[in-house]
Amino acid sequence: MAGPHHHAYVWLGSGDVLVKPGDAHRRPDHPEFRSAQVMPLECADWLLKPAARIEATFDEAKEGAEWYAGQLARYAELFVGASMPDPLYEETVRALAAGEDRVGGWWVSGGRFLSLNLIACSPHRVRPEYTCPQR
């Protein structure tokens, strides 16, 4: 895909997996990194995961912000006993339009962790050497 855009990634899993033991499996130099279903330590490292992990791709900031807000609504019941985070729609549009990532992570019911990510691609601001995954 040509031009700046964002890839969407979601991870929902047991908090125990985040520290299985330690976090080496969440780093790109670990042999399990590409196959590990857990989110990476650095946001840009999502781009090093298999392209099949991409939930959606957005060329327009408003579309990405709508996806992000929609994902929060989709997982709303997991925030039982805690306030669901504000999707900060306008801030998300601004960040995406500026080529920034939009990342959120929350502990939710059942000792799980929910990670929602919109990762900039072509290029990534922090890791411009990362190539864009091809679907």
Side-chain angles (χ1 to χ4, degrees):
M1 175 172 277
H5 57 277
H6 287 79
H7 293 300
Y9 300 90
V10 176
W11 184 74
L12 173 64
S14 169
D16 293 340
V17 177
L18 291 175
V19 290
K20 165 206 136 171
D23 58 17
H25 63 297
R26 296 175 58 201
R27 297 174 188 274
D29 59 351
H30 192 276
E32 292 179 19
F33 175 79
R34 285 187 47 79
S35 64
Q37 292 301 306
V38 69
M39 63 190 208
L41 280 175
E42 185 178 318
C43 300
D45 290 347
W46 275 112
L47 300 175
L48 301 176
K49 293 281 193 175
R53 295 292 307 270
I54 298 170
E55 298 280 330
T57 299
F58 303 101
D59 294 317
E60 299 297 326
K62 287 184 178 184
E63 292 173 353
E66 289 167 7
W67 175 87
Y68 194 85
Q71 292 300 302
L72 281 173
R74 176 182 176 191
Y75 292 105
E77 75 273 0
L78 299 181
F79 291 94
V80 174
S83 297
M84 187 179 91
D86 184 332
L88 302 171
Y89 180 81
E90 292 302 321
E91 173 58 19
T92 300
V93 170
R94 185 215 56 77
L96 298 180
E100 299 172 9
D101 298 335
R102 178 68 163 113
V103 176
W106 306 270
W107 287 100
V108 294
S109 64
R112 293 175 292 175
F113 192 83
L114 172 64
S115 175
L116 300 178
N117 308 270
L118 286 163
I119 307 299
C121 197
S122 294
H124 190 272
R125 291 171 64 155
V126 176
R127 299 286 186 195
E129 71 276 13
Y130 284 6
T131 60
C132 194
Q134 300 299 311
R135 284 197 103 170

